[in-house]
Amino acid sequence: MFRKVCPPGLVFLSVFLAGCATRSLPEYEPPLRRTQFMKIRTTAYNDKESDHIRYANLSAAGTLLGSSVIRSAAADWARWPAGTKFIVLSTGQLYEVDDYGWAISGRNTIDLYCPSATEMNQWGVRRVTIQILEWGDPCKSYRLLKPRRDYAHVRRMLGEIERFY
C-alpha cells in the first residue's frame, strides 16, 4: 500500500534523512595541550571511500587532496587549524591540515590522506608522534567553517574555536 502512494526514491530519502537526524556526534575528548611534539591517534582515508566520493579529490579547504611531497590531513580545525603543517616522525612524511570530517570533530585524532586504498588499509589506526612545523590560522578556519554551520560537527568546531581563541 505504501509503495503505491510514495515512490521508492522518496521512501529511501525519508529513511536516509531520518537516520541523519538521529546521528549523534562522536564522543567528545578534551583537547590536547598544544606543543611542538604531540603523540596522537591517527587514522587514514582515501578519496575513493563512500563518504568522500561526492567531494571527489577536493579537501574541505577547496584544494586538491595532496599526495605528493606534502599530503593532506583531516583534523578538527579547532585543535589543528587549517594550514597546520606537521611531520609524522616515524615515517618522515609531511602533512598539511586542509580537510575535516564528522568522525574527528571534538577528537584528538588526525586522519591522514593516502593516495591508494592499499596504503590506507595498511596504515589502519596508529598512535604516532608528530612534530608541528607551522600552526594554521584559526581565523581562516572559522571563516571557512561558518557558512557550513548547518552541520553539527561544524558547529562543534566553531564553538571550540570561539572558546579557545
Side-chain angles (χ1 to χ4, degrees), residues 92-127:
Q93 182 64 55
L94 297 169
Y95 290 90
E96 180 174 352
V97 174
D98 61 0
D99 215 351
Y100 61 83
W102 177 88
I104 54 180
S105 71
R107 311 281 297 175
N108 296 314
T109 299
I110 295 181
D111 209 5
L112 306 173
Y113 176 75
C114 293
S116 73
T118 301
E119 185 180 342
M120 176 188 72
N121 291 329
Q122 286 173 342
W123 185 267
V125 177
R126 298 183 192 181
R127 288 196 61 79

Short mmCIF file of all heavy atoms in Angstrom, two decimals, residues 92-127:
data_model
loop_
_atom_site.label_atom_id
_atom_site.label_comp_id
_atom_site.label_asym_id
_atom_site.label_seq_id
_atom_site.Cartn_x
_atom_site.Cartn_y
_atom_site.Cartn_z
N GLY A 92 58.56 10.24 8.42
CA GLY A 92 59.16 11.40 7.76
C GLY A 92 58.22 12.09 6.78
O GLY A 92 58.60 13.05 6.12
N GLN A 93 56.97 11.63 6.69
CA GLN A 93 56.01 12.20 5.75
C GLN A 93 55.47 13.54 6.27
O GLN A 93 55.12 13.65 7.44
CB GLN A 93 54.84 11.24 5.53
CG GLN A 93 53.81 11.71 4.53
CD GLN A 93 54.35 11.86 3.12
OE1 GLN A 93 54.90 10.94 2.56
NE2 GLN A 93 54.20 13.05 2.57
N LEU A 94 55.41 14.53 5.38
CA LEU A 94 54.87 15.85 5.69
C LEU A 94 53.38 15.89 5.37
O LEU A 94 52.95 15.33 4.35
CB LEU A 94 55.58 16.93 4.88
CG LEU A 94 57.06 17.11 5.12
CD1 LEU A 94 57.66 18.02 4.05
CD2 LEU A 94 57.30 17.69 6.49
N TYR A 95 52.63 16.62 6.21
CA TYR A 95 51.19 16.78 6.01
C TYR A 95 50.79 18.23 6.26
O TYR A 95 51.44 18.94 7.02
CB TYR A 95 50.39 15.88 6.97
CG TYR A 95 50.50 14.43 6.66
CD1 TYR A 95 51.51 13.66 7.21
CD2 TYR A 95 49.59 13.81 5.80
CE1 TYR A 95 51.62 12.30 6.92
CE2 TYR A 95 49.69 12.46 5.52
CZ TYR A 95 50.70 11.72 6.08
OH TYR A 95 50.80 10.38 5.79
N GLU A 96 49.68 18.60 5.62
CA GLU A 96 49.05 19.90 5.90
C GLU A 96 47.57 19.67 6.14
O GLU A 96 46.90 18.99 5.35
CB GLU A 96 49.24 20.87 4.74
CG GLU A 96 48.60 22.22 5.02
CD GLU A 96 48.89 23.27 3.95
OE1 GLU A 96 49.71 23.02 3.06
OE2 GLU A 96 48.27 24.34 4.02
N VAL A 97 47.04 20.24 7.21
CA VAL A 97 45.62 20.11 7.52
C VAL A 97 44.83 21.00 6.57
O VAL A 97 44.96 22.23 6.60
CB VAL A 97 45.34 20.49 9.00
CG1 VAL A 97 43.83 20.48 9.28
CG2 VAL A 97 46.09 19.56 9.94
N ASP A 98 44.06 20.37 5.69
CA ASP A 98 43.21 21.12 4.76
C ASP A 98 41.83 20.47 4.64
O ASP A 98 41.04 20.81 3.77
CB ASP A 98 43.87 21.25 3.38
CG ASP A 98 44.13 19.92 2.70
OD1 ASP A 98 43.81 18.86 3.28
OD2 ASP A 98 44.66 19.92 1.57
N ASP A 99 41.55 19.53 5.53
CA ASP A 99 40.29 18.80 5.47
C ASP A 99 39.79 18.55 6.90
O ASP A 99 40.55 18.70 7.86
CB ASP A 99 40.53 17.46 4.77
CG ASP A 99 39.36 16.99 3.92
OD1 ASP A 99 38.28 17.60 3.99
OD2 ASP A 99 39.52 16.01 3.18
N TYR A 100 38.53 18.22 7.04
CA TYR A 100 37.95 17.85 8.33
C TYR A 100 36.89 16.80 8.07
O TYR A 100 36.54 16.53 6.91
CB TYR A 100 37.37 19.05 9.08
CG TYR A 100 36.24 19.76 8.36
CD1 TYR A 100 34.94 19.30 8.43
CD2 TYR A 100 36.48 20.91 7.62
CE1 TYR A 100 33.90 19.94 7.76
CE2 TYR A 100 35.46 21.57 6.96
CZ TYR A 100 34.17 21.07 7.04
OH TYR A 100 33.15 21.71 6.38
N GLY A 101 36.37 16.20 9.11
CA GLY A 101 35.33 15.20 8.94
C GLY A 101 34.49 15.04 10.19
O GLY A 101 34.91 15.42 11.29
N TRP A 102 33.32 14.47 10.02
CA TRP A 102 32.38 14.28 11.11
C TRP A 102 32.99 13.45 12.24
O TRP A 102 32.90 13.81 13.41
CB TRP A 102 31.11 13.59 10.57
CG TRP A 102 30.11 13.28 11.61
CD1 TRP A 102 29.12 14.09 12.06
CD2 TRP A 102 30.01 12.07 12.37
NE1 TRP A 102 28.41 13.46 13.05
CE2 TRP A 102 28.94 12.22 13.25
CE3 TRP A 102 30.73 10.88 12.38
CZ2 TRP A 102 28.55 11.22 14.13
CZ3 TRP A 102 30.35 9.89 13.26
CH2 TRP A 102 29.28 10.08 14.13
N ALA A 103 33.66 12.34 11.89
CA ALA A 103 34.14 11.39 12.90
C ALA A 103 35.30 11.92 13.74
O ALA A 103 35.62 11.34 14.77
CB ALA A 103 34.55 10.08 12.23
N ILE A 104 35.93 13.02 13.31
CA ILE A 104 37.08 13.53 14.07
C ILE A 104 36.79 14.86 14.75
O ILE A 104 37.66 15.42 15.40
CB ILE A 104 38.34 13.64 13.17
CG1 ILE A 104 38.06 14.44 11.92
CG2 ILE A 104 38.88 12.26 12.86
CD1 ILE A 104 39.23 14.59 10.99
N SER A 105 35.56 15.34 14.65
CA SER A 105 35.25 16.60 15.34
C SER A 105 35.16 16.32 16.85
O SER A 105 34.59 15.34 17.28
CB SER A 105 33.93 17.19 14.84
OG SER A 105 32.83 16.43 15.26
N GLY A 106 35.82 17.18 17.61
CA GLY A 106 35.84 17.00 19.06
C GLY A 106 36.75 15.87 19.50
O GLY A 106 36.66 15.41 20.64
N ARG A 107 37.63 15.42 18.62
CA ARG A 107 38.51 14.29 18.90
C ARG A 107 39.97 14.69 18.69
O ARG A 107 40.28 15.57 17.91
CB ARG A 107 38.20 13.11 17.97
CG ARG A 107 36.75 12.72 17.88
CD ARG A 107 36.24 11.92 19.00
NE ARG A 107 36.95 10.65 19.04
CZ ARG A 107 36.79 9.75 19.98
NH1 ARG A 107 35.95 9.97 20.96
NH2 ARG A 107 37.45 8.63 19.98
N ASN A 108 40.86 14.00 19.38
CA ASN A 108 42.30 14.23 19.23
C ASN A 108 42.88 13.23 18.23
O ASN A 108 43.85 12.53 18.51
CB ASN A 108 42.99 14.08 20.59
CG ASN A 108 42.52 15.15 21.56
OD1 ASN A 108 42.45 16.32 21.21
ND2 ASN A 108 42.17 14.75 22.76
N THR A 109 42.25 13.16 17.09
CA THR A 109 42.63 12.24 16.02
C THR A 109 42.87 13.04 14.75
O THR A 109 42.12 13.96 14.44
CB THR A 109 41.51 11.21 15.76
OG1 THR A 109 41.29 10.47 16.96
CG2 THR A 109 41.85 10.28 14.63
N ILE A 110 43.90 12.67 14.02
CA ILE A 110 44.15 13.24 12.71
C ILE A 110 44.03 12.12 11.69
O ILE A 110 44.58 11.03 11.87
CB ILE A 110 45.53 13.92 12.62
CG1 ILE A 110 45.59 15.12 13.56
CG2 ILE A 110 45.83 14.34 11.18
CD1 ILE A 110 46.92 15.87 13.54
N ASP A 111 43.28 12.39 10.63
CA ASP A 111 43.05 11.43 9.55
C ASP A 111 44.03 11.78 8.42
O ASP A 111 43.99 12.89 7.89
CB ASP A 111 41.60 11.57 9.09
CG ASP A 111 41.00 10.31 8.53
OD1 ASP A 111 41.66 9.26 8.56
OD2 ASP A 111 39.85 10.38 8.05
N LEU A 112 44.90 10.85 8.07
CA LEU A 112 45.95 11.09 7.08
C LEU A 112 45.49 10.61 5.71
O LEU A 112 45.03 9.48 5.55
CB LEU A 112 47.23 10.36 7.49
CG LEU A 112 47.74 10.66 8.90
CD1 LEU A 112 48.91 9.75 9.23
CD2 LEU A 112 48.12 12.12 9.02
N TYR A 113 45.65 11.47 4.70
CA TYR A 113 45.25 11.11 3.35
C TYR A 113 46.26 10.13 2.75
O TYR A 113 47.47 10.35 2.82
CB TYR A 113 45.15 12.35 2.45
CG TYR A 113 44.83 11.98 1.02
CD1 TYR A 113 43.54 11.59 0.67
CD2 TYR A 113 45.80 12.00 0.04
CE1 TYR A 113 43.24 11.22 -0.62
CE2 TYR A 113 45.51 11.64 -1.27
CZ TYR A 113 44.22 11.25 -1.59
OH TYR A 113 43.93 10.89 -2.88
N CYS A 114 45.75 9.06 2.18
CA CYS A 114 46.57 8.08 1.47
C CYS A 114 46.06 7.98 0.03
O CYS A 114 44.86 7.85 -0.18
CB CYS A 114 46.46 6.71 2.13
SG CYS A 114 47.17 6.64 3.78
N PRO A 115 46.95 8.06 -0.95
CA PRO A 115 46.50 8.06 -2.34
C PRO A 115 45.90 6.74 -2.82
O PRO A 115 45.18 6.72 -3.80
CB PRO A 115 47.76 8.41 -3.12
CG PRO A 115 48.90 8.11 -2.21
CD PRO A 115 48.39 8.24 -0.82
N SER A 116 46.18 5.63 -2.12
CA SER A 116 45.61 4.35 -2.55
C SER A 116 44.90 3.68 -1.38
O SER A 116 45.24 3.88 -0.21
CB SER A 116 46.71 3.42 -3.08
OG SER A 116 47.50 2.94 -2.01
N ALA A 117 43.93 2.86 -1.73
CA ALA A 117 43.19 2.11 -0.71
C ALA A 117 44.11 1.12 0.00
O ALA A 117 43.97 0.89 1.20
CB ALA A 117 42.01 1.38 -1.35
N THR A 118 45.06 0.56 -0.73
CA THR A 118 46.00 -0.38 -0.12
C THR A 118 46.81 0.30 0.97
O THR A 118 46.93 -0.21 2.09
CB THR A 118 46.95 -0.96 -1.20
OG1 THR A 118 46.17 -1.62 -2.19
CG2 THR A 118 47.96 -1.92 -0.59
N GLU A 119 47.34 1.47 0.66
CA GLU A 119 48.12 2.21 1.66
C GLU A 119 47.25 2.61 2.85
O GLU A 119 47.67 2.52 4.00
CB GLU A 119 48.76 3.44 1.02
CG GLU A 119 49.68 4.19 1.95
CD GLU A 119 50.31 5.41 1.31
OE1 GLU A 119 50.33 5.51 0.06
OE2 GLU A 119 50.78 6.27 2.06
N MET A 120 46.02 3.03 2.56
CA MET A 120 45.10 3.42 3.62
C MET A 120 44.85 2.23 4.56
O MET A 120 44.92 2.37 5.78
CB MET A 120 43.78 3.90 3.01
CG MET A 120 42.70 4.23 4.02
SD MET A 120 41.10 4.55 3.25
CE MET A 120 40.61 2.92 2.73
N ASN A 121 44.57 1.07 3.99
CA ASN A 121 44.29 -0.11 4.81
C ASN A 121 45.52 -0.57 5.58
O ASN A 121 45.41 -1.04 6.70
CB ASN A 121 43.73 -1.23 3.94
CG ASN A 121 42.35 -0.91 3.42
OD1 ASN A 121 41.58 -0.20 4.07
ND2 ASN A 121 42.03 -1.40 2.25
N GLN A 122 46.70 -0.42 4.99
CA GLN A 122 47.93 -0.80 5.68
C GLN A 122 48.19 0.12 6.87
O GLN A 122 48.73 -0.31 7.88
CB GLN A 122 49.13 -0.77 4.73
CG GLN A 122 49.14 -1.93 3.76
CD GLN A 122 50.24 -1.81 2.71
OE1 GLN A 122 50.80 -0.75 2.48
NE2 GLN A 122 50.53 -2.92 2.05
N TRP A 123 47.81 1.38 6.75
CA TRP A 123 48.03 2.32 7.85
C TRP A 123 47.13 1.97 9.03
O TRP A 123 47.57 1.91 10.17
CB TRP A 123 47.81 3.78 7.42
CG TRP A 123 48.15 4.72 8.53
CD1 TRP A 123 47.30 5.25 9.47
CD2 TRP A 123 49.45 5.20 8.86
NE1 TRP A 123 47.99 6.05 10.35
CE2 TRP A 123 49.32 6.02 10.00
CE3 TRP A 123 50.72 5.01 8.31
CZ2 TRP A 123 50.40 6.66 10.60
CZ3 TRP A 123 51.80 5.65 8.90
CH2 TRP A 123 51.63 6.46 10.04
N GLY A 124 45.86 1.78 8.76
CA GLY A 124 44.92 1.43 9.84
C GLY A 124 44.81 2.55 10.86
O GLY A 124 44.62 3.71 10.51
N VAL A 125 44.95 2.19 12.13
CA VAL A 125 44.91 3.15 13.24
C VAL A 125 46.23 3.02 13.97
O VAL A 125 46.64 1.92 14.34
CB VAL A 125 43.75 2.83 14.21
CG1 VAL A 125 43.75 3.78 15.39
CG2 VAL A 125 42.41 2.88 13.49
N ARG A 126 46.91 4.15 14.15
CA ARG A 126 48.21 4.14 14.82
C ARG A 126 48.34 5.34 15.74
O ARG A 126 47.87 6.43 15.41
CB ARG A 126 49.37 4.22 13.82
CG ARG A 126 49.45 3.08 12.87
CD ARG A 126 50.67 3.22 11.98
NE ARG A 126 50.62 2.29 10.87
CZ ARG A 126 51.55 2.19 9.95
NH1 ARG A 126 52.62 2.96 10.00
NH2 ARG A 126 51.43 1.31 8.97
N ARG A 127 49.02 5.15 16.84
CA ARG A 127 49.43 6.27 17.70
C ARG A 127 50.84 6.63 17.27
O ARG A 127 51.73 5.77 17.26
CB ARG A 127 49.39 5.88 19.16
CG ARG A 127 47.96 5.76 19.69
CD ARG A 127 47.87 5.75 21.19
NE ARG A 127 48.37 6.94 21.84
CZ ARG A 127 47.72 8.11 21.96
NH1 ARG A 127 46.54 8.24 21.42
NH2 ARG A 127 48.25 9.12 22.60
#
